[in-house]
């Protein structure tokens, strides 16, 4: 008896010590809480206090609702209580809110304990902190999905197509890429506002999801352009019809009802491209071929289909891709004070280099962009990027430099030009005094409505300049009507000064005219010291040209600023 009792006591003492060790280990590694039958907290460990940021006495007696983050729907907790109330153990992930308002995630197991009547009298919850893992998942999701529509984004698309190419190369199969452009989106956005525009894109995405068999084949590429990947090319025409049918129903937002349509361009791997870039170009070219017709259209790429391989269409497609993929580049030519020879600003000049076509001069692609309707997109791209850059330079180097941006007459004529200009100013948060808007004489020849636009720009704090003066209609009556700040003399007049007195007299007259109209003068294309001296003699305030510096890319211009030297 003694021996047996002694052995039993020794065993029990060992079990108690073991339980203490287990409790100590749990306290170090997991978040523990005990609640009564209705969810009021009766005990917590130190880890619970650390993650919730509540003291123990702030938690005891409180209901678990004190930690409710509002993230989960009511049904989530109803189902949890139904499970543990029936005596079963519940497992799940819960998002809680700490005392300081921060959110944290816990992997949770809740175990019910029963009284002699078989009813739960308390619950012990064992939790582990999974906030870091959830944050990584969240960051990964947003890195690969469009934050507006929730569709997979361009990064996700590139990975998917690369994988699809590998699969098809291995299996000797094909797949199709659909470029989907939503017609009239810009007009909807401008007429009804950006909020309705955003709601519209979300609804478009939802309609796409409703016909996506894989739930992961529609992608938002850029703005109002989407991509669809089809693995079964036997369904090419049926799927195109399904997509177009989605746009037969009207869209309803904020008491507005409207219809729109889509244009779809389709390329097939490997027939129309063996890599991502060429598949995109072929689909893009097919889409633009379809835009020549009205309403819902789809076109499968064919090399000899209606001039689809024509150089002009190819150039248009490449330019469109360059805008979307941010391939265009800005160079900056310094503007110099003629008296101090110090830099006071610069002009932003657009450059385009294509891997196949090489460097394409602006005098080739700008008129082309105007003809094919891309000039407004390009103009806004230039204005946005120049604004961001000048704000960065001035803040970083404690300067008050001003960047001049040329606006196409077509862009200036847009009814919503001022509205879109204001949006860019707000979006980039640039100081308006750092921007100079250059318009040509041809712009001024149009109608009196432009006076209002120029006055509005000046009210916004922008400087307004006439670019390439002397190459248009050069009417004094127009110059007097428009409240212009700066007149830029075209390079051709500067070159003519080399021919003698008549060329010099012409430039002197232009400078005198500008000063009489309270304008400052910038001379473009100054390449010789003699030209600078003549311009200085006639009180031309500023010059640009190779005598001081060629146009520099952003990196080289930044180096000049870092060196803090006169250019």
């Amino acid at each position: 008896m003694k021996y047996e009792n002694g052995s039993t006591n020794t065993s029990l003492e060992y079990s108690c010590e073991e339980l203490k060790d287990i409790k100590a280990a749990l306290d170090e590694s997991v978040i523990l809480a005990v609640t009564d039958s209705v969810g009021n907290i009766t005990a917590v460990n130190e880890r619970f206090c650390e993650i919730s940021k509540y003291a123990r006495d702030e938690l005891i007696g409180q209901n678990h609702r004190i930690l409710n983050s509002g993230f989960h729907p009511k049904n989530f907790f109803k189902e949890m209580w139904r499970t543990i109330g029936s005596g079963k153990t519940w497992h799940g992930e819960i998002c809680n809110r700490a005392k300081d308002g921060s959110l944290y995630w816990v992997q949770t197991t809740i175990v019910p304990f029963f009284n002699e009547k078989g009813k739960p009298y308390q619950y012990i919850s064992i939790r582990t902190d999974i906030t870091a893992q959830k944050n990584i998942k969240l960051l990964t999701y947003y890195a690969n999905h469009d934050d507006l529509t929730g569709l997979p984004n361009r990064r996700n698309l590139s990975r998917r197509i690369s994988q699809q190419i590998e699969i098809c190369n291995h299996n000797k199969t094909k797949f199709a890429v659909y470029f989907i452009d939503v017609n009239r989106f810009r007009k909807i956005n401008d007429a009804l506002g950006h909020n309705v525009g955003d709601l519209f894109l979300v609804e478009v995405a939802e309609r796409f999801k409703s016909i996506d068999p894989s739930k992961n084949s529609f992608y938002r590429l850029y703005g109002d352009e989407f991509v669809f990947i089809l693995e079964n090319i036997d369904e090419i025409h049926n799927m195109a019809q399904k997509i177009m049918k989605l746009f037969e129903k009207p869209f309803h937002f904020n008491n507005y009802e409207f219809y729109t349509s889509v244009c779809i361009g389709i390329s097939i791997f490997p027939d129309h491209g063996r890599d991502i870039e060429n598949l995109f170009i072929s689909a893009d070219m097919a889409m633009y071929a379809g835009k020549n017709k009205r309403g819902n259209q789809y076109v499968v790429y064919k090399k000899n289909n209606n001039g689809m391989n024509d150089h002009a269409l190819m150039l248009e497609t490449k330019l469109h891709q360059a805008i979307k993929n941010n391939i265009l580049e800005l160079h900056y030519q310094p503007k110099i004070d003629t008296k101090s020879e110090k830099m006071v600003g610069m002009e932003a000049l657009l450059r385009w280099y294509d891997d196949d076509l090489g460097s394409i001069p602006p005098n080739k692609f700008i008129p082309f962009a105007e003809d094919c309707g891309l000039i407004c997109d390009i103009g806004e791209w230039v204005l946005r990027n120049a604004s961001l850059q000048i704000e960065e330079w001035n803040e970083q180097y404690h300067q008050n430099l001003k960047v001049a941006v040329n606006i196409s007459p077509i862009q200036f004529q847009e009814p919503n030009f001022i509205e879109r200009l204001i949006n860019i100013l707000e979006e980039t948060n640039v100081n308006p005094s750092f921007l100079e808007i250059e318009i040509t004489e041809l712009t001024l020849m149009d109608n009196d409505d432009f006076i209002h636009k120029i006055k509005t720009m000046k009210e916004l704090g922008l400087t307004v300049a006439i670019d390439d003066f002397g190459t248009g209609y050069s009417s004094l009556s127009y110059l007097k009507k428009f409240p212009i700040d700066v007149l830029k003399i075209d390079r051709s007049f500067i070159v003519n000064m080399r021919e003698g007195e008549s060329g010099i007299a012409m430039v002197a007259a232009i400078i005198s005219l500008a000063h009489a109209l309270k304008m400052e003068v910038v001379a473009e294309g100054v390449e010789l010291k003699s030209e600078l001296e003549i311009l200085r003699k006639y009180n031309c305030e500023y010059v640009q040209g190779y005598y001081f510096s060629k146009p520099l890319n952003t990196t080289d211009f930044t180096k000049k600023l870092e060196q803090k030297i006169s250019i």
Side-chain angles (χ1 to χ4, degrees):
M1 288 284 296
K2 253 181 170 180
Y3 176 79
E4 288 179 358
N5 286 341
S7 296
T8 303
N9 289 339
T10 303
S11 177
L12 285 171
E13 287 173 9
Y14 178 79
S15 295
C16 287
E17 289 299 319
E18 194 173 45
L19 285 171
K20 287 179 183 178
D21 290 342
I22 291 171
K23 180 181 181 301
L26 286 172
D27 280 339
E28 286 297 318
S29 59
V30 299
I31 303 154
L32 283 171
V34 181
T35 63
D36 61 20
S37 60
V38 293
N40 293 322
I41 300 170
T42 59
V44 295
N45 70 349
E46 194 60 36
R47 289 266 295 165
F48 194 107
C49 296
E50 288 174 4
I51 194 168
S52 71
K53 297 181 172 57
Y54 284 101
R56 184 175 275 103
D57 58 0
E58 291 178 300
L59 292 166
I60 302 301
Q62 292 288 338
N63 191 282
H64 252 290
R65 286 192 292 271
I66 191 175
L67 304 172
N68 194 328
S69 66
F71 178 86
H72 303 284
K74 290 181 179 179
N75 285 342
F76 176 87
F77 292 106
K78 282 184 179 179
E79 183 60 33
M80 183 191 77
W81 277 103
R82 187 180 295 115
T83 301
I84 60 178
S86 66
K88 297 177 182 177
T89 299
W90 183 86
H91 303 276
E93 296 177 351
I94 299 179
C95 178
N96 285 333
R97 187 179 300 278
K99 184 178 179 180
D100 65 358
S102 61
L103 300 179
Y104 64 93
W105 282 85
V106 283
Q107 179 70 50
T108 304
T109 298
I110 303 177
V111 182
F113 287 82
F114 305 95
N115 58 24
E116 63 277 5
K117 296 181 180 179
K119 298 290 185 181
Y121 72 93
Q122 73 173 12
Y123 304 95
I124 295 180
S125 62
I126 303 169
R127 299 175 171 92
T128 54
D129 183 7
I130 58 169
T131 306
Q133 297 95 306
K134 294 294 285 190
N135 285 344
I136 290 171
K137 286 181 181 178
L138 195 62
L139 289 172
T140 302
Y141 177 85
Y142 281 118
N144 291 282
H145 289 79
D146 174 51
D147 58 356
L148 176 64
T149 64
L151 289 174
N153 61 13
R154 174 185 283 274
R155 182 184 289 107
N156 208 324
L157 173 63
S158 297
R159 185 166 56 249
R160 167 74 186 281
I161 292 181
S162 296
Q163 292 170 351
Q164 201 66 42
I165 287 173
E166 287 184 20
I167 292 169
C168 290
N169 279 331
H170 182 266
N171 297 332
K172 307 298 182 188
T173 53
K174 300 181 179 183
F175 71 95
V177 176
Y178 290 56
F179 262 30
I180 307 166
D181 183 78
V182 181
N183 297 326
R184 298 178 59 243
F185 171 69
R186 183 166 178 171
K187 291 182 179 178
I188 292 167
N189 215 28
D190 292 341
L192 305 181
H194 294 289
N195 289 336
V196 172
D198 286 348
L199 290 171
F200 169 69
L201 290 175
V202 170
E203 174 61 21
V204 167
E206 290 303 313
R207 293 189 184 188
F208 285 154
K209 291 174 188 176
S210 71
I211 61 167
D212 184 359
S214 69
K215 303 301 180 186
N216 193 37
S217 291
F218 278 98
Y219 300 77
R220 187 182 179 202
L221 187 63
Y222 171 88
D224 60 344
E225 292 188 358
F226 299 82
V227 170
F228 175 70
I229 304 299
L230 181 69
E231 295 181 15
N232 181 8
I233 64 167
D234 292 336
E235 291 293 313
I236 276 184
H237 300 288
N238 288 340
M239 197 63 201
Q241 293 290 346
K242 280 185 180 180
I243 293 171
M244 292 189 299
K245 191 172 181 62
L246 294 174
F247 292 84
E248 292 178 358
K249 297 184 297 181
F251 290 83
H252 298 274
F253 302 106
N254 297 350
N255 299 320
Y256 296 108
E257 177 181 299
F258 55 87
Y259 290 83
T260 188
S261 57
V262 289
C263 186
I264 306 171
I266 305 171
S267 64
I268 301 171
F269 174 88
D271 303 16
H272 308 143
R274 303 193 67 89
D275 55 32
I276 294 174
E277 182 180 1
N278 284 302
L279 283 169
F280 277 16
I281 288 174
S282 297
D284 216 14
M285 290 176 72
M287 182 182 74
Y288 274 95
K291 277 188 171 291
N292 293 327
K293 306 170 186 177
R294 291 181 178 274
N296 284 318
Q297 298 291 336
Y298 78 95
V299 175
V300 180
Y301 178 83
K302 292 180 183 177
K303 289 184 179 179
N304 298 312
N305 183 18
N306 296 327
M308 202 177 291
N309 61 338
D310 181 79
H311 176 75
L313 187 54
M314 181 269 292
L315 188 64
E316 180 178 343
T317 302
K318 282 183 170 291
L319 184 54
H320 186 75
Q321 290 285 339
I323 298 168
K324 289 196 296 187
N325 298 331
N326 217 29
I327 293 172
L328 298 175
E329 185 180 6
L330 287 180
H331 286 205
Y332 298 89
Q333 185 169 45
K335 182 164 71 174
I336 307 298
D337 185 302
T338 56
K339 292 180 180 177
S340 65
E341 296 194 8
K342 299 286 186 181
M343 182 172 63
V344 295
M346 73 290 292
E347 180 179 3
L349 301 166
L350 189 60
R351 298 290 183 263
W352 178 26
Y353 179 85
D354 180 81
D355 289 339
D356 298 323
L357 303 176
S359 181
I360 306 166
N363 62 350
K364 296 291 185 184
F365 73 82
I366 293 297
F368 182 80
E370 291 177 337
D371 290 340
C372 66
L374 291 175
I375 193 62
C376 291
D377 291 335
I378 291 175
E380 290 183 12
W381 183 93
V382 172
L383 190 57
R384 182 176 293 106
N385 283 274
S387 297
L388 290 169
Q389 187 62 69
I390 195 62
E391 185 69 27
E392 179 185 326
W393 277 334
N394 282 339
E395 182 177 351
Q396 185 173 354
Y397 299 106
H398 308 292
Q399 299 289 316
N400 287 298
L401 301 173
K402 183 176 294 188
V403 64
V405 177
N406 191 281
I407 300 296
S408 162
I410 293 174
Q411 184 180 0
F412 195 73
Q413 289 168 11
E414 287 281 297
N416 63 339
F417 169 75
I418 292 295
E419 179 187 347
R420 299 187 75 85
L421 174 62
I422 291 172
N423 288 340
I424 290 173
L425 294 177
E426 292 175 349
E427 176 189 334
T428 60
N429 200 31
V430 66
N431 184 333
S433 67
F434 296 162
L435 282 180
E436 181 175 294
I437 303 297
E438 296 183 355
I439 55 179
T440 65
E441 288 178 89
L442 290 173
T443 303
L444 304 182
M445 299 302 114
D446 199 284
N447 61 57
D448 290 341
D449 179 57
F450 290 179
I451 297 177
H452 174 70
K453 287 184 178 179
I454 293 173
K455 285 182 177 178
T456 303
M457 287 194 291
K458 288 172 66 65
E459 289 169 1
L460 291 170
L462 302 165
T463 301
V464 182
I466 296 181
D467 191 28
D468 299 334
F469 180 79
T471 60
Y473 296 107
S474 307
S475 167
L476 275 175
S477 62
Y478 275 101
L479 283 180
K480 289 169 66 178
K481 282 174 61 178
F482 288 89
I484 304 296
D485 301 298
V486 177
L487 185 148
K488 298 190 75 173
I489 305 176
D490 185 67
R491 179 178 178 274
S492 60
F493 288 94
I494 307 304
V495 173
N496 285 341
M497 291 197 306
R498 303 172 192 174
E499 297 179 3
E501 291 299 322
S502 62
I504 294 172
M506 180 65 75
V507 170
I510 294 173
I511 295 171
S512 178
L513 167 65
H515 288 166
L517 295 172
K518 304 280 193 281
M519 299 180 194
E520 293 185 323
V521 180
V522 180
E524 297 181 292
V526 176
E527 298 179 355
L528 303 174
K529 184 177 182 179
S530 59
E531 294 169 349
L532 174 63
E533 290 174 346
I534 293 168
L535 291 165
R536 187 184 283 142
K537 175 182 176 182
Y538 290 101
N539 297 317
C540 175
E541 286 87 355
Y542 309 108
V543 294
Q544 287 175 222
Y546 277 67
Y547 178 72
F548 286 100
S549 174
K550 67 178 183 179
L552 304 170
N553 63 32
T554 303
T555 301
D556 291 338
F557 204 100
T558 302
K559 288 178 182 177
K560 290 287 186 183
L561 290 172
E562 288 173 348
Q563 292 166 2
K564 295 182 179 179
I565 62 172
S566 299
I567 299 179

